[in-house]
Amino acid sequence: MTSNGFMGPPWQMDWALKAQATRDSLPEQVRKMIDAARAELVTAKDPYFRGVETDADLPAGMTVRPLRSTDPKGRHIFFFDHGHGWLIYDFVPRVDDPQIVVDEVFWQ
């Protein structure tokens, strides 16, 4: 817990059933990339990567953006594999049990 009473990383992560099924159906090398993206998300100080160049420390080929620029605290998209895949997620910043919820997984 941080000094302001807010829990910090590592965050909990939950997957929508369809997102989990999609992840499980992908080839092993893609699942490993998704697992690497997951590791970056659950350990990020701010899972929304707010501010200028806050995702600059992500490994090559990974970036994070709001799904809608008009809603910076809403759903976000985490690109991996240089944009060939992504996770769409929400961060629920509850004091007692904050978590990341992955709604969609895609890879082409």
Side-chain angles (χ1 to χ4, degrees), residues 22-76:
T22 300
R23 181 218 173 266
D24 293 346
S25 71
L26 292 170
E28 182 178 354
Q29 76 271 14
V30 179
R31 289 193 311 268
K32 287 181 181 180
M33 287 186 273
I34 292 170
D35 291 345
R38 178 197 176 279
E40 293 294 334
L41 273 175
V42 299
T43 59
K45 182 177 180 182
D46 178 1
Y48 279 156
F49 296 87
R50 289 176 285 235
V52 178
E53 295 297 319
T54 54
D55 63 354
D57 292 333
L58 290 174
M62 293 184 184
T63 58
V64 177
R65 300 286 180 262
L67 203 55
R68 292 183 8 215
S69 62
T70 58
D71 190 12
K73 291 184 179 181
R75 296 174 75 193
H76 273 57

